[in-house]
Amino acid sequence: MKYKWLVLGFVLSFAALGATAEGVYFHGAAGWEPPPLYHGNAFAPGGVGGAWWWVYEPLFVYVPGPGKTIPSGVFAGRDRMIPRLGVSYEDTPEAFVVHLRKGVKWHDGQPFTSKDVWCTFTLGYLKHWAIWKYLEKIEIPDDYTVIFRWKKPTPFAKPLIAANVILWPYHIYGKWAERVDLTAPTDVEPNKSVTEELLNFKPEKPIGTGPFVLDKVTASDMLLVKFPDYWAADKVDFAGVKLYRWVNNYVVWGYLIGGELDAAHPAARRNITQAILSLPGMKLATPTDLAGFCLAFNLRETLPDGRPNPFLNLKFRQAIAYAIDRAQLAQATYWAGLPITDYATGLLESMRANWGVTDEWMKANLTNYSYDPGKAAALLQELGYRKGPDGIWEDAQGNDLKFSLVAHAGYSDWVIAIDNIASQLKKFGIIIEPETRPGSIYWTSIRAGNFDLCMEWTATSWGYAHPWAELRRTLHVDGDTAKTIGLAETPYVFVGPDGKPVDTTALVDELGATFDLEKQIELIRELAWIHNENLPVLPFVEKRIMIFHREGVRVTGWPALDDPAWLLAPGGIERFYTTMMVEGVIKAVK
Amino acid sequence: MMRTLLGNKRALVGAAILLLYFFMATLGPFVVPLEEEQHPERAFQPPSWEHPLGTDYLGRDVLAQIVHGSRDVLFVAFLAALFAIAIAVSVGILSGLKGGLVDQVLMTLVNMMLTIPHLPVMMIFAAVFRVRDPFSFASILAFWMWAGLARAVRSQVLSLREREFIQAAQILKLGTGHIVFKEILPNVMPYVAVNFVSMMRGAIVSSVAIMFLGLAPFSATNWGMMLNMATIQTGAIYIPRALSYVLSPLVAIMLLQLGGYFFAHGLEEIFNPRLRAHE
Amino acid sequence: MLIVLKRLGLALLTIVVVSVITFIVIQNVPGDPIYEWAMELVQTSGLDFETAYKIAAQMYGYDPNEPLFHRFVTYVKRLLRGNLGYSMIYRASVNEIIAKALPWTVFVVSISLLLSFSLGVILGTAIAWKRRSLLDPLVTGYASFTAATPDYVTAMLLLLFLAIRLKWFPTRGAYDIGIEPGFSLRFIGNVLHHAALPILSYTLEAVGGWALAMKGAAVSVLGEDYIMAAKARGLRDRRIVTAYLARNSILPLITGLAISFGGMFGGSILIETIFNYPGMGWFFSQALMRKDYGMMQGLFLLTITATILANLLADLLYAKLDPRVRLER
């Protein structure tokens, strides 16, 4: 009896697969919370999810490069701004003035005005948006002008303005925005109760101004349809977007191999990549992810077990750098990344040349740490270590060189990296005990100094795409990797190019405040020198996003693989897809 | 007894499989060294003479990992079963010999433990406590496995208590220690032995499941971890060439379970002639 | 009657004790789930870690410094108002999640249970009746094989071969989003297509066990006088098997069926995770991985309550159905 129905069910569902919706849907993958957790308020956890860049728009889209294929936008020296809700801007040290697009509508039909921008950035204060470090207030002289007034001038005005989408319309969220006190901290009244109320506000769907409207959400799919009143509706060639829920990379590989997606960016090992690329029309773009991986040394007075800390000695750190074949390490850890094999500048390998740190300059000024076990051995001998009969280096007292190396258990590439480093150093004669720690305690434990060697991020410039953010990570006392290595408390003295002790924090701050490009390059070079010659961490790979995209099935017109337009991807891959659609670069296959 | 064992084909097959795994776990790691070096360029190779079960995502020999994994899996399961048996036997004997309030409290506890679904609790415990070594892992598993056996041991003790040799020992005032170790333990041992194998089987299923979900990531060669790697982490499941890598841990678990099942059933038939008559 | 009350009391006591223990264990977790979340914020919004941590802590629905007892009182108060738990990360009641997830689990598991139970009963009766047929060793062999393979291994193999390699079935989800949920043939067909592999995994695993249990029960019934009498009266085989043999030997299996129904809430974790099927088990493993302790607690409470009550029900039912059985103590 039951079987009959089952069979009938199969037959029917196969029939159902044959039916198609009218118009071309872009097929992508993204994460969101499954219903009933899903809701449409970006302020509270569980809100909006992968619909983000499809339903919302920023004032401008910022590209840290020229962008060959994007028709609109202003290219100025190193970067360009593509107009979306803003049409033009004036950038001065005192204020950033934005002129808004007219005739834009929210998905519920209400007109878009400067009040919505004010409302969004005001509530952004409660979310500690990075821009509020520099922002004093927002003025709205009329419906289509917004003035961002700085309390301290910032060279990063453009990326900061462009980092956030306009996501809280005044006609819904205004009642909360009006109550926010911009002079008080976020955890005191009235801000505290506004936050609390916003966290508990859960409308069913997000309301944005973007090209697509959220239609349906389930635990496995999300369906967005084209917004008919969108200001550039004529350029958007797709009837809608179908998103597959991103449970983990493994599930997304399956969708890609099955030919179900037009684009997705799961990091994949070489064999999986080959399997995906074997589909006709499938291509792989690999723009930088604006971050890299490094091996971090503990630079505190003693190691956690009380031993005196050999990493305080620069030559010892250099010996480790020479002893590791970083090309091999990078290959095993993140094969699609950009290996960093010779130097250790603390800058993004793919972007450094734009900022004066060219190959020639490095060759002339920096120590080259490319793989050389002979040099490593010589350095250790110079420091008084001897190789024991078992092939392991020993100190003067006859103790084996033996260190722990920890990684975040949830980052599978880091787990592979520590195994790789352990086996390389074992061959060289240093015992490394790899250890993984669950994410819930990893960051706490390493920032408390509870490690000998560990895996960390380096050269992160999320949200800024500027060397200032990259160098700040490790060389400024407030930087996150600086906290891991113990920059604030280390007895090790950083030395500058002039051979004198140097305050790296002050230099980083100076870099973050200067508008003068020449001066910026000078400071970047100095800090790169300090990073390389003092070697607080050993970077080995720059992370790149692996964007698989399929040409000719449903979508056509993807930019060439080396087009700087791909630099839109880090920090919001859908920002890239939507911009390409709104600019009319990618089109539907009819 | 040996003769009965030889006569029972299923038990014999089971014993042979278990013996194979035993040697694999004890001697295997010395025969097949674990490759620590990574060769990404040789990843996901199909079976060959050099790598009878193919290679994994870093080009390392899968057979070596299965062999080394068998040691991890069996060791955790052995410990878990040992801990569980220790608790079960002590609780069972204590409850059976003392009787009264002690018996009532302990049996209420046992009844409680028996009604709790094991896997979800084990998972919560494994996720919450940092499982980093086989001992803590085995303790978490064992904590939820002892109750059934404890009840069985208790009823054995209850029936033994009425037997002549125990009553004689009591009259002779030979002491509780003597009664427990000389009279009762030898009599419940065969029963415990049968249960030991079943408990190891249970522990293997749970431990591999927990590892597969990535809740106790402390041993890279545990089969559960291999499965986790082959599916969620590296996607070998999508690569037709890598079929042997994905199937190896699955088949290893299946075969071991089958061996344990046959052996335990065979033993039961031998120790419990009533069952044999039933067949 | 007293025995029934005593049993009920024990069941309630078990539920209370277990939930208190898990509460304490979960609340005393080492490490800090806020960290993980803060790190995510750092990467997505370019904040520095301290600010991100502050935001994450603010969004988190509870104060880690509140004393354990206080938190327990809040928890019990919520519980008494019928709220099984509270997801600290999403600030949502676990009841909502259960309302969404439970129907899928009940759907899949009840179909599988009925399917495997009926198949098992038929097979078991058949091999008990015809002792010398070829079916007996086949079914017994199959049963020992499935008893030896964990259910997640079966599920993985089905996923690998039927969904990924052959593409006969979808790999995830409960239905396609393009189809409007409703009482249409198209929707029901789609739902069944998605549920097929989870159902198959459960059924393949369970059918052997039911068959063996049924065989055991039937064999003992076969020796009873009324079967002999029926044979002597010259009744047709078919009638003896259905009216006497099956009907009487099915009794002891009913309890097993009740227990299985109770256990289905917890038993689905791995299968639902493997097929990405949004039922109770799937949400449970999500809670485990995200370390959402409130959600874990709530889902777990429902699981043990269901299991324990099903056990109780099974015991009482059995005593009722079979007057020869007396409840112990």
Side-chain angles (χ1 to χ4, degrees):
Chain A
M1 256 317 274
K2 290 275 168 213
Y3 266 135
K4 210 189 280 170
W5 284 104
L6 222 57
V7 171
L8 182 64
F10 294 159
V11 173
L12 285 171
S13 47
F14 281 125
L17 291 176
T20 48
E22 59 276 30
V24 177
Y25 277 65
F26 180 93
H27 289 213
W32 64 84
E33 298 306 333
L37 300 173
Y38 187 87
H39 60 83
N41 177 11
F43 199 94
V48 186
W52 194 271
W53 291 100
W54 305 100
V55 299
Y56 297 125
E57 286 186 288
L59 294 170
F60 297 92
V61 173
Y62 178 78
V63 195
K68 285 177 211 158
T69 33
I70 308 171
S72 59
V74 189
F75 179 58
R78 278 184 162 63
D79 52 19
R80 76 195 241 140
M81 295 276 267
I82 303 165
R84 291 291 283 277
L85 288 173
V87 285
S88 62
Y89 63 88
E90 292 134 42
D91 184 10
T92 67
E94 294 76 41
F96 194 93
V97 184
V98 179
H99 302 287
L100 300 181
R101 191 178 294 279
K102 288 174 184 153
V104 174
K105 276 187 183 152
W106 289 93
H107 291 166
D108 58 3
Q110 297 284 327
F112 163 80
T113 69
S114 56
K115 272 200 154 167
D116 300 315
V117 180
W118 173 84
C119 180
T120 295
F121 279 91
T122 304
L123 293 182
Y125 175 76
L126 300 179
K127 295 277 261 184
H128 301 258
W129 281 1
I131 193 171
W132 280 102
K133 262 186 249 164
Y134 309 95
L135 202 56
E136 192 198 349
K137 61 179 173 184
I138 300 166
E139 293 164 11
I140 40 174
D142 63 60
D143 269 1
Y144 297 101
T145 310
V146 185
I147 303 170
F148 295 87
R149 269 200 205 289
W150 307 119
K151 58 185 167 201
K152 58 178 178 185
T154 167
F156 312 119
K158 284 184 278 186
L160 285 172
I161 298 278
N164 298 108
V165 290
I166 306 305
L167 37 66
W168 290 304
Y170 185 83
H171 62 273
I172 298 174
Y173 293 86
K175 58 180 174 187
W176 287 297
E178 294 287 0
R179 280 163 56 201
V180 173
D181 181 356
L182 296 176
T183 58
T186 55
D187 50 359
V188 300
E189 295 301 343
N191 296 344
K192 195 180 171 199
S193 50
V194 173
T195 304
E196 198 57 33
E197 283 169 39
L198 274 166
L199 285 175
N200 289 313
F201 176 61
K202 289 175 184 172
E204 198 195 335
K205 289 173 186 172
I207 300 287
T209 59
F212 295 95
V213 183
L214 180 64
D215 183 31
K216 275 186 267 186
V217 194
T218 70
S220 52
D221 307 76
M222 183 185 271
L223 208 61
L224 299 119
V225 294
K226 187 173 169 181
F227 178 37
D229 289 340
Y230 184 60
W231 56 269
D234 55 321
K235 286 203 187 124
V236 178
D237 207 24
F238 294 85
V241 177
K242 182 179 173 181
L243 298 177
Y244 291 59
R245 184 152 172 270
W246 193 303
V247 182
N248 48 35
N249 287 354
Y250 146 72
V251 171
V252 181
W253 296 327
Y255 301 153
L256 280 167
I257 291 172
E260 298 188 53
L261 301 180
D262 296 315
H265 60 290
R269 308 211 126 255
R270 193 188 291 276
N271 300 72
I272 293 289
T273 307
Q274 281 161 357
I276 297 171
L277 289 180
S278 67
L279 289 178
M282 190 63 89
K283 286 191 245 170
L284 173 64
T286 52
T288 173
D289 200 10
L290 300 180
F293 299 155
C294 69
L295 172 70
F297 302 103
N298 192 342
L299 295 185
R300 290 167 183 79
E301 182 95 51
T302 55
L303 292 177
D305 55 8
R307 287 184 291 169
N309 185 351
F311 299 116
L312 288 176
N313 193 312
L314 174 63
K315 284 187 175 152
F316 192 83
R317 299 200 294 276
Q318 288 178 327
I320 302 262
Y322 284 121
I324 296 175
D325 181 353
R326 286 188 279 167
Q328 194 217 355
L329 173 61
Q331 181 67 241
T333 306
Y334 198 87
W335 75 277
L338 189 54
I340 301 167
T341 55
D342 300 343
Y343 299 93
T345 58
L347 293 168
L348 285 176
E349 189 67 7
S350 63
M351 311 273 264
R352 59 174 167 74
N354 295 349
W355 299 95
V357 183
T358 57
D359 290 350
E360 300 77 51
W361 182 84
M362 293 202 299
K363 213 172 165 191
N365 294 284
L366 303 182
T367 309
N368 185 326
Y369 298 112
S370 43
Y371 180 51
D372 190 342
K375 263 189 196 165
L379 278 169
L380 285 188
Q381 257 156 12
E382 190 189 328
L383 292 174
Y385 295 93
R386 291 283 166 273
K387 209 159 192 174
D390 53 353
I392 304 298
W393 289 89
E394 295 171 351
D395 63 14
Q397 289 78 43
N399 300 317
D400 284 350
L401 278 185
K402 188 172 168 185
F403 304 104
S404 72
L405 170 55
V406 284
H408 187 302
Y411 293 6
S412 55
D413 22 28
W414 286 13
V415 176
I416 292 170
I418 60 171
D419 283 341
N420 187 289
I421 293 173
S423 74
Q424 286 202 37
L425 287 183
K426 193 178 169 194
K427 218 177 353 171
F428 172 71
I430 296 176
I431 303 170
I432 296 289
E433 290 170 335
E435 176 196 334
T436 61
R437 290 181 192 158
S440 53
I441 57 159
Y442 183 70
W443 306 107
T444 357
S445 66
I446 61 167
R447 281 179 195 156
N450 188 11
F451 69 99
D452 299 339
L453 293 162
C454 76
M455 301 305 299
E456 251 290 6
W457 291 97
T458 177
T460 54
S461 58
W462 298 312
Y464 291 89
H466 190 283
W468 168 75
E470 296 161 25
L471 293 160
R472 187 177 183 276
R473 177 93 200 176
T474 311
L475 293 179
H476 189 287
V477 283
D478 290 338
D480 286 326
T481 300
K483 283 177 195 154
T484 299
I485 60 174
L487 185 66
E489 59 206 271
T490 179
Y492 175 78
V493 180
F494 281 75
V495 179
D498 53 3
K500 289 185 191 137
V502 62
D503 180 359
T504 55
T505 300
L507 281 175
V508 172
D509 280 338
E510 199 183 337
L511 173 61
T514 176
F515 286 76
D516 179 358
L517 199 61
E518 290 306 308
K519 179 76 185 159
Q520 282 188 16
I521 287 176
E522 188 185 307
L523 283 164
I524 289 165
R525 282 181 163 169
E526 186 176 352
L527 284 162
W529 189 95
I530 293 168
H531 196 285
N532 193 72
E533 301 309 313
N534 293 276
L535 206 65
V537 300
L538 181 69
F540 60 88
V541 71
E542 176 178 328
K543 214 172 158 235
R544 290 199 284 202
I545 316 175
M546 303 178 69
I547 308 177
F548 295 95
H549 53 287
R550 204 166 181 199
E551 173 79 30
V553 177
R554 273 176 296 258
V555 183
T556 182
W558 291 103
L561 297 182
D562 59 348
D563 193 305
W566 292 100
L567 286 173
L568 274 168
I573 179 90
E574 290 87 1
R575 173 171 56 195
F576 171 76
Y577 304 144
T578 45
T579 305
M580 292 297 124
M581 282 188 195
V582 172
E583 295 281 325
V585 176
I586 54 173
K587 295 211 176 314
V589 174
K590 297 270 159 59
Chain B
M1 192 183 116
M2 229 22 224
R3 200 138 38 98
T4 7
L5 182 64
L6 286 175
N8 189 317
K9 260 190 235 149
R10 275 219 282 176
L12 208 61
V13 172
I17 296 177
L18 289 187
L19 219 56
L20 183 80
Y21 274 85
F22 177 74
F23 286 126
M24 180 157 100
T26 47
L27 304 178
F30 300 103
V31 181
V32 192
L34 191 65
E35 256 182 294
E36 277 176 34
E37 256 179 69
Q38 308 173 336
H39 310 279
E41 72 285 351
R42 298 203 312 234
F44 296 143
Q45 283 182 358
S48 62
W49 279 115
E50 201 187 341
H51 304 290
L53 295 177
T55 58
D56 77 344
Y57 61 101
L58 287 173
R60 298 172 299 194
D61 188 47
V62 171
L63 178 64
Q65 291 181 37
I66 292 285
V67 169
H68 284 252
S70 70
R71 188 179 50 182
D72 293 355
V73 170
L74 287 179
F75 186 55
V76 167
F78 179 81
L79 278 182
L82 202 65
F83 292 167
I85 296 267
I87 304 174
V89 170
S90 347
V91 169
I93 292 181
L94 187 67
S95 192
L97 277 188
K98 285 271 175 198
L101 188 66
V102 177
D103 182 33
Q104 267 200 340
V105 170
L106 285 178
M107 280 307 112
T108 312
L109 190 69
V110 163
N111 282 337
M112 277 175 149
M113 298 294 279
L114 278 177
T115 40
I116 299 167
H118 294 183
L119 195 62
V121 215
M122 285 182 193
M123 282 180 177
I124 290 187
F125 275 56
V128 165
F129 294 120
R130 282 173 61 199
V131 181
R132 286 254 315 272
D133 55 278
F135 290 93
S136 53
F137 197 26
S139 321
I140 287 178
L141 296 175
F143 191 67
W144 303 99
M145 292 187 339
W146 56 271
L149 183 60
R151 188 149 82 174
V153 168
R154 170 181 170 270
S155 50
Q156 293 268 317
V157 173
L158 281 183
S159 73
L160 283 174
R161 211 163 62 165
E162 307 307 320
R163 296 268 195 71
E164 283 159 19
F165 59 96
I166 304 249
Q167 291 190 333
Q170 272 169 338
I171 291 165
L172 289 172
K173 296 211 175 357
L174 283 176
T176 325
H178 175 88
I179 294 174
V180 170
F181 288 105
K182 295 275 160 171
E183 312 292 350
I184 293 183
L185 268 184
N187 276 292
V188 295
M189 256 332 170
Y191 195 75
V192 168
V194 172
N195 271 276
F196 192 83
V197 181
S198 318
M199 281 203 175
M200 275 188 71
R201 284 186 51 220
I204 290 168
V205 172
S206 315
S207 70
V208 171
I210 288 168
M211 284 255 179
F212 167 60
L213 285 182
L215 293 173
F218 68 83
S219 155
T221 46
N222 181 299
W223 298 333
M225 213 46 201
M226 281 179 74
L227 262 185
N228 178 281
M229 277 299 184
T231 54
I232 296 165
Q233 306 284 354
T234 67
I237 198 165
Y238 299 121
I239 311 274
R241 284 199 307 153
L243 192 65
S244 62
Y245 173 37
V246 183
L247 288 185
S248 295
L250 290 175
V251 172
I253 297 163
M254 258 160 54
L255 204 58
L256 174 56
Q257 290 290 322
L258 216 55
Y261 180 84
F262 284 164
F263 186 62
H265 266 240
L267 277 190
E268 219 169 294
E269 282 169 14
I270 290 159
F271 287 129
N272 193 346
R274 250 177 356 116
L275 266 177
R276 222 179 330 159
H278 218 76
E279 282 284 292
Chain C
M1 201 54 217
L2 196 67
I3 293 170
V4 174
L5 280 180
K6 210 170 159 185
R7 278 293 170 93
L8 194 67
L10 182 68
L12 286 178
L13 184 68
T14 311
I15 294 172
V16 170
V17 170
V18 175
S19 43
V20 170
I21 292 174
T22 44
F23 184 85
I24 294 171
V25 166
I26 283 172
Q27 299 286 330
N28 280 314
V29 52
D32 184 348
I34 300 176
Y35 256 90
E36 191 74 339
W37 201 12
M39 197 57 205
E40 232 177 274
L41 278 176
V42 170
Q43 279 174 51
T44 49
S45 57
L47 293 171
D48 64 275
F49 191 78
E50 247 150 52
T51 323
Y53 187 83
K54 232 169 151 181
I55 299 175
Q58 206 176 7
M59 288 189 194
Y60 209 64
Y62 93 117
D63 170 13
N65 299 319
E66 197 184 339
L68 183 69
F69 182 70
H70 261 231
R71 266 184 267 159
F72 186 68
V73 170
T74 327
Y75 171 66
V76 173
K77 270 189 195 156
R78 280 213 189 100
L79 206 57
L80 290 178
R81 270 184 267 127
N83 197 336
L84 280 173
Y86 184 72
S87 158
M88 293 171 288
I89 295 181
Y90 303 106
R91 296 168 166 256
S93 159
V94 175
N95 292 17
E96 285 175 54
I97 297 164
I98 291 170
K100 274 270 184 191
L102 193 57
W104 292 118
T105 300
V106 171
F107 167 69
V108 164
V109 182
S110 46
I111 290 189
S112 332
L113 264 181
L114 289 176
L115 213 61
S116 56
F117 184 78
S118 7
L119 262 173
V121 164
I122 295 170
L123 284 174
T125 320
I127 53 180
W129 184 247
K130 290 245 186 282
R131 298 292 287 280
R132 297 271 164 244
S133 73
L134 197 67
L135 202 58
D136 189 7
L138 265 181
V139 172
T140 316
Y142 174 77
S144 28
F145 184 73
T146 50
T149 30
D151 53 357
Y152 53 87
V153 171
T154 314
M156 293 272 313
L157 291 173
L158 288 178
L159 176 77
L160 176 57
F161 289 108
L162 297 188
I164 292 175
R165 292 282 151 83
L166 294 172
K167 298 186 192 220
W168 288 355
F169 297 94
T171 54
R172 88 226 138 91
Y175 62 92
D176 278 336
I177 195 170
I179 295 169
E180 202 60 48
F183 224 68
S184 67
L185 269 181
R186 192 163 167 232
F187 179 69
I188 295 169
N190 195 266
V191 164
L192 283 174
H193 193 200
H194 280 77
L197 286 188
I199 290 177
L200 202 57
S201 318
Y202 282 114
T203 310
L204 286 178
E205 271 296 311
V207 73
W210 290 124
L212 280 197
M214 187 63 191
K215 177 194 163 192
V219 164
S220 62
V221 169
L222 270 177
E224 298 283 340
D225 297 342
Y226 52 82
I227 302 276
M228 302 296 174
K231 277 185 180 168
R233 269 160 53 206
L235 287 180
R236 272 185 305 153
D237 277 9
R238 201 195 174 112
R239 178 144 176 79
I240 301 177
V241 170
T242 49
Y244 294 86
L245 181 58
R247 184 178 275 188
N248 284 297
S249 38
I250 215 167
L251 273 186
L253 271 76
I254 299 286
T255 46
L257 192 64
I259 292 176
S260 299
F261 261 108
M264 72 183 176
F265 302 104
S268 52
I269 300 172
L270 285 151
I271 289 184
E272 286 182 357
T273 308
I274 288 168
F275 292 111
N276 269 304
Y277 200 81
M280 296 283 290
W282 185 81
F283 275 95
F284 189 73
S285 70
Q286 291 282 307
L288 281 175
M289 283 169 205
R290 288 192 168 258
K291 307 236 182 295
D292 187 335
Y293 300 116
M295 200 153 127
M296 260 188 236
Q297 179 96 44
L299 294 176
F300 182 69
L301 187 63
L302 185 76
T303 309
I304 52 162
T305 310
T307 317
I308 290 167
L309 290 184
N311 269 295
L312 179 69
L313 195 75
D315 280 1
L316 300 180
L317 202 67
Y318 194 42
K320 190 97 185 155
L321 288 175
D322 192 342
R324 285 170 304 178
V325 177
R326 286 267 164 272
L327 285 175
E328 204 188 327
R329 290 193 298 126

